[in-house]
Amino acid sequence: MNIDPIPGNVPPTIPPRTPISPAPGLQKLGENPEEREPIPNMVVAIEAVLRQPRRIMYQLRQPGSGKLIGSMLLATIICILVYGLVVGSFSMHDQLWAAPVKLALGLLLTSLICLPSLYIFTCLSGSQARLAEMVGLLSGLLMLMTLLLVGFAPVAWLFSQSTNSIVWMGVLHLLFWFIAVFFGLRFLEAGFSHTQARSAAGLNTWIIIFVLVAIQMTTALRPIIGTSKTFLPTEKRFFISHWGDNLEKAAKDSRSPD
Amino acid sequence: MTSLATNGISLGVLLRGDLDSLTTWLSHWNGRRLAFCLAVIFIGAGCYGAAMGMWRAPLQALYVAIKFPLIILLTSLANALLNAMLAPLLGLNIGLRQSFLAILISFTIASAILGAFSPLLAFLVWNAPPLSATAQASATYSFIQLLQVVIIAFAGITANVRLIQLLRRFSTGRAAASRVLFAWLAGNLFFGSQLTWILRPFIGSPGLAVEFLRKDALHGNFYETVFRSILYLLTRK
């Protein structure tokens, strides 16, 4: 007996594939018309980095992106000077100008030191990004980071007026800095994901380098929170040994009777 | 009252968490609504503060009635910029004005609840023995302290439940709303705790004079004190 379970007439129809719209992160930059709108000034750049980061990423690929990069760097310098003023308000006097200057210098130096390795690592990862685009993404990272630091400024100011502990203030500023850097790096990674890189290993390595250089810069330019007779330190140290000594000193002070 | 109701300005709208009305509040804000929220915060939190301070002295009640709403408003204002930046970064595309108002609405709900509980607290304090050095160590003191924690926690939780419902209305996913709420809560708690520490005393101490701010208000901070207390407990022999 020949039993054929499949009816011999029309084969079952395959349901038509409904087009699935890709998630915004996977869309090609510039597909959304809003992303193609130019960014004429610093205020729009600030708004865009918070709400439409893809608009900045797209504009960085367009000719004449230098103006946008300049706006972002200007915003970065203004924001870091504002936050530096709050950092300096802990010790007052000379630190009111020294802390903003040191923080701004430190941030720009860190970026300059790390920029070549960023470009090399991204190229090694197969990225098609030009140097100008990477400079732009790095500027975006710095702008977002310093904007968030300005957001933290009222909290930092309140604490700087109500404690005498340098260690406490150091920990607090580091905490704010890490949160700000986290969001800044997220912007950089999002921008990097559109550069056709084969892997993110190079960028991840660079992130470690960037964080280490930035932290060491705070030790190289110390004191930023406390006071000193000289503008720059006379003794060279690594940040781990500097932090260790400060923690030890703070522990000793807390044990000693008032 | 009718005109207030027709404009959608009523406590019921806030307490019920009427999402359509609250969404309109955020989208089409006007000065009357802002004034309404500020009034509820000053009256609600002020009454609760007065009930809290009256155990020590009438002057202490007046001081706390001023300080309690101040904490709420200063926390909202100081963190406004940060909260507005965190919202879009965590997936909720709302602006500075909307994020500030959303937080202000949640504080308004909390203040209304606190205000409603203030007669109960005042009655309890009125019936309690006078605050004295011995009373501070007594069961009454502990009970009143615990009750205040319960009332404030209830007001805070209810306000945040309303806030997350509102945030979900503005977000595309539940996760984004939760992330934003968590970040806002962390920031507001961090700043608010320190501000509360600076503006102490609230209940007051019988051994110390009644004053608006302690002389050492700006010496030390809340977290350092907690850390030192833990260290003391761990290293005590």
Side-chain angles (χ1 to χ4, degrees), chain A residues 49-52 144 147-152 154-155 158-159 161-165 168 172 175-176 179 182-183 186 254, chain B residues 78-79 81-82 84-86 88-90 92-96 190-191 194-195 198 217-221 223-224 228 231:
Chain A
V49 81
L50 292 168
R51 298 182 186 290
Q52 299 168 299
L144 183 53
L147 268 176
L148 278 167
L149 286 177
V150 170
F152 280 118
V155 187
L158 184 80
F159 278 93
Q161 299 309 304
S162 51
T163 186
N164 295 320
S165 167
W168 165 260
L172 190 72
L175 175 75
F176 291 162
I179 295 172
F182 168 78
F183 284 104
R186 219 176 57 158
S254 68
Chain B
N79 278 346
L81 193 60
L82 178 67
M85 286 181 194
L86 288 176
L89 290 173
L90 294 171
L92 188 67
N93 218 355
I94 59 173
L96 172 70
F190 191 71
F191 185 85
Q194 178 58 18
L195 195 60
I198 289 172
L218 290 173
H219 291 170
N221 72 53
Y223 301 96
E224 268 180 284
R228 280 197 183 138
L231 209 62

Side-chain angles (χ1 to χ4, degrees), chain B residues 4-237:
Chain B
L4 289 182
T6 49
N7 279 310
I9 305 174
S10 78
L11 261 184
V13 169
L14 292 178
L15 294 172
R16 279 193 298 273
D18 181 356
L19 285 179
D20 290 333
S21 301
L22 291 181
T23 308
T24 315
W25 277 45
L26 285 199
S27 309
H28 310 285
W29 190 262
N30 60 42
R32 288 186 68 174
R33 288 173 181 155
L34 181 66
F36 175 74
C37 283
L38 292 177
V40 172
I41 289 173
F42 269 102
I43 295 169
C47 287
Y48 188 82
M52 190 190 268
M54 68 180 271
W55 197 16
R56 174 69 182 89
L59 188 60
Q60 179 77 17
L62 176 70
Y63 287 162
V64 186
I66 297 167
K67 288 195 277 188
F68 223 64
L70 267 184
I71 291 172
I72 291 175
L73 288 177
L74 289 176
T75 304
S76 311
L77 282 172
N79 278 346
L81 193 60
L82 178 67
N83 289 336
M85 286 181 194
L86 288 176
L89 290 173
L90 294 171
L92 188 67
N93 218 355
I94 59 173
L96 172 70
R97 194 191 55 166
Q98 284 175 317
S99 66
F100 174 71
L101 293 176
I103 290 170
L104 198 69
I105 284 175
S106 85
F107 276 132
T108 307
I109 294 169
S111 300
I113 295 170
L114 288 177
F117 276 101
S118 59
L120 294 172
L121 185 65
F123 180 70
L124 183 76
V125 166
W126 185 62
N127 282 285
L131 185 62
S132 63
T134 49
Q136 257 191 305
S138 72
T140 315
Y141 190 85
S142 306
F143 175 70
I144 289 179
Q145 262 190 331
L146 188 66
L147 186 74
Q148 302 219 22
V149 170
V150 171
I151 294 172
I152 293 172
F154 172 70
I157 290 168
T158 310
N160 281 300
V161 167
R162 292 283 176 261
L163 180 59
I164 197 160
Q165 287 167 344
L166 189 58
L167 294 182
R168 279 180 190 149
R169 180 61 78 92
F170 280 89
S171 67
T172 47
R174 293 169 74 90
S178 305
R179 277 198 302 268
V180 171
L181 180 75
F182 180 77
W184 284 0
L185 271 180
N188 290 344
L189 279 174
F190 191 71
F191 185 85
S193 305
Q194 178 58 18
L195 195 60
T196 311
W197 174 261
I198 289 172
L199 291 177
R200 70 197 192 281
F202 289 89
I203 295 179
S205 175
L208 297 170
V210 173
E211 51 195 348
F212 191 78
L213 283 180
R214 286 197 176 148
K215 286 182 183 65
D216 60 347
L218 290 173
H219 291 170
N221 72 53
F222 173 74
Y223 301 96
E224 268 180 284
T225 310
V226 171
F227 178 70
R228 280 197 183 138
S229 302
I230 294 169
L231 209 62
Y232 173 75
L233 285 174
L234 292 176
T235 57
R236 194 173 54 163
K237 286 179 185 167

Side-chain angles (χ1 to χ4, degrees), chain A residues 96-115:
Chain A
L96 280 177
W97 66 265
V101 168
K102 283 182 182 184
L103 282 178
L105 267 178
L107 195 64
L108 292 179
L109 271 176
T110 303
S111 309
L112 279 176
I113 292 170
C114 294
L115 180 63

Side-chain angles (χ1 to χ4, degrees), chain A residues 117-244:
Chain A
S117 54
L118 174 65
Y119 185 64
I120 298 298
F121 274 120
T122 52
C123 287
L124 289 175
S125 304
S127 158
Q128 299 295 317
R130 294 171 301 126
L131 177 63
E133 194 180 337
M134 292 320 293
V135 172
L137 288 176
L138 184 60
S139 309
L141 179 160
L142 297 178
M143 179 170 73
L144 183 53
M145 192 183 111
T146 51
L147 268 176
L148 278 167
L149 286 177
V150 170
F152 280 118
V155 187
W157 177 81
L158 184 80
F159 278 93
S160 70
Q161 299 309 304
S162 51
T163 186
N164 295 320
S165 167
I166 290 181
V167 171
W168 165 260
M169 284 314 296
V171 171
L172 190 72
H173 286 307
L174 266 181
L175 175 75
F176 291 162
W177 185 80
F178 273 115
I179 295 172
V181 164
F182 168 78
F183 284 104
L185 290 173
R186 219 176 57 158
F187 169 83
L188 181 71
E189 280 176 332
F192 182 75
S193 67
H194 294 286
T195 61
Q196 292 145 34
R198 286 187 301 269
S199 117
L203 184 67
N204 291 336
T205 312
W206 180 82
I207 286 171
I208 296 169
I209 295 171
F210 176 76
V211 170
L212 288 175
V213 170
I215 292 173
Q216 179 58 31
M217 193 61 79
T218 61
T219 304
L221 296 177
R222 73 188 186 278
I224 294 175
I225 302 171
T227 51
S228 165
K229 284 177 188 162
T230 54
F231 180 72
L232 290 173
T234 47
E235 186 191 6
K236 293 187 193 307
R237 309 186 75 174
F238 281 115
F239 71 91
I240 292 184
S241 101
H242 176 57
W243 288 2

